[in-house]
Amino acid sequence: MDTLFSTEFFDMLLRFLICVAVIWVIIDRFYASKSKRRDFYFTFMLISIAIFFIVYFMIFVLEDMKGKTSMGIGIGLFGIFSIMRYRTDAMPVREMTYLFVTICLSVVNALAVSMSYAELLVTNAIFVAAVWICEKHLKMDTSKLVQYDRIELIKPERRQELVDDLKARTGLEVLNVEIGAIDFLRDMAVLRVYYKSGFHKQDKEIDNMIKLKNSDYANI
């Protein structure tokens, strides 16, 4: 009499639990602790779960196809990674990196059926260690896009006046300013203002992704 669940199912379940636990540690302890973006938290977790099951079951489906397993997996992975382009808003580099990491972890844990659990745990630990090292030692500048009306201050010789004016009007500790699109008809310019991270506690990573009303001005 056949059992209700096969041994392969329990193997899959254990690998899935390892995968989810590792991704949760990365997203909750490293990503969300700084950005506080609950929407990306939701996205990363669900995408990783979906991709794990897609890849894992795709392996067994393609095993019955004569010699087409590797080609099929390659095509499937290409389709999985291409979903990162289908988004309504521009995704900041940090969020894109975490999305890529979660997808890679899901694929690795699903594909590594021939690896022992010890080898799988070491591989996942390397991912966690890499993220921890990068978050701890590599600081990313926080920035805002600003529509600026005092266009006369964008001249190179008046740069210090520009920085001082931005400090006074925004209350931010400005580190650097990049000048983008200039509209002489409206006497305005678009600036990307880099400021000291954590200077304003309420500022989150969303500052890096908000677009201005006219999208033409956001390309700097």
Side-chain angles (χ1 to χ4, degrees):
M1 182 178 179
D2 295 335
T3 58
L4 186 60
F5 297 107
S6 64
T7 55
E8 288 81 4
F9 177 81
F10 290 105
D11 177 73
M12 178 206 69
L13 189 60
L14 183 55
R15 292 176 184 274
F16 170 72
L17 293 176
I18 294 174
C19 177
V20 170
V22 172
I23 291 176
W24 179 83
V25 169
I26 291 176
I27 300 304
D28 188 79
R29 300 305 177 186
F30 299 135
Y31 171 76
S33 61
K34 287 187 177 181
S35 66
K36 309 298 182 182
R37 294 296 308 273
R38 306 303 299 182
D39 51 349
F40 279 118
Y41 194 122
F42 173 87
T43 300
F44 295 152
M45 293 303 300
L46 289 189
I47 284 181
S48 63
I49 292 172
I51 289 178
F52 176 88
F53 284 113
I54 289 174
V55 174
Y56 194 90
F57 286 110
M58 184 171 60
I59 295 173
F60 293 99
V61 171
L62 293 175
E63 278 183 351
D64 297 331
M65 301 176 65
K66 301 175 181 178
K68 296 182 180 180
T69 303
S70 59
M71 182 182 68
I73 292 177
I75 294 174
L77 294 181
F78 175 80
I80 289 172
F81 284 109
S82 68
I83 68 173
M84 290 187 293
R85 292 186 56 86
Y86 296 98
R87 57 188 188 275
T88 56
D89 296 319
M91 182 180 289
V93 175
R94 186 168 183 264
E95 277 69 17
M96 178 64 74
T97 303
Y98 271 98
L99 177 60
F100 187 79
V101 168
T102 56
I103 290 177
C104 287
L105 276 170
S106 298
V107 172
V108 167
N109 282 277
L111 285 178
V113 292
S114 60
M115 293 178 62
S116 66
Y117 293 123
E119 294 170 332
L120 192 62
L121 288 172
V122 171
T123 302
N124 282 275
I126 293 173
F127 271 93
V128 175
V131 174
W132 177 78
I133 291 173
C134 290
E135 283 286 3
K136 185 175 179 62
H137 299 286
L138 300 179
K139 304 297 183 183
M140 299 181 65
D141 292 332
T142 309
S143 65
K144 290 179 181 290
L145 288 179
V146 178
Q147 285 181 299
Y148 193 66
D149 57 343
R150 299 187 62 184
I151 196 172
E152 68 277 4
L153 296 184
I154 67 174
K155 297 178 181 179
E157 61 270 19
R158 304 188 67 178
R159 183 173 183 83
Q160 188 57 48
E161 294 181 60
L162 172 63
V163 173
D164 292 339
D165 184 58
L166 288 169
K167 287 182 179 180
R169 298 171 69 176
T170 63
L172 300 173
E173 188 173 333
V174 178
L175 301 176
N176 189 28
V177 180
E178 294 178 355
I179 300 173
I182 302 173
D183 189 340
F184 288 106
L185 295 178
R186 300 182 182 181
D187 286 333
M188 63 150 303
V190 175
L191 311 178
R192 182 176 291 278
V193 180
Y194 295 89
Y195 59 96
K196 186 176 180 180
S197 179
F199 186 69
H200 274 193
K201 297 298 184 181
Q202 67 271 25
D203 290 327
K204 309 302 181 187
E205 288 295 322
I206 193 172
D207 293 330
N208 292 311
M209 64 177 295
I210 291 181
K211 295 181 179 180
L212 298 175
K213 184 176 182 181
N214 191 332
S215 58
D216 294 335
Y217 297 149
N219 299 319
I220 67 174

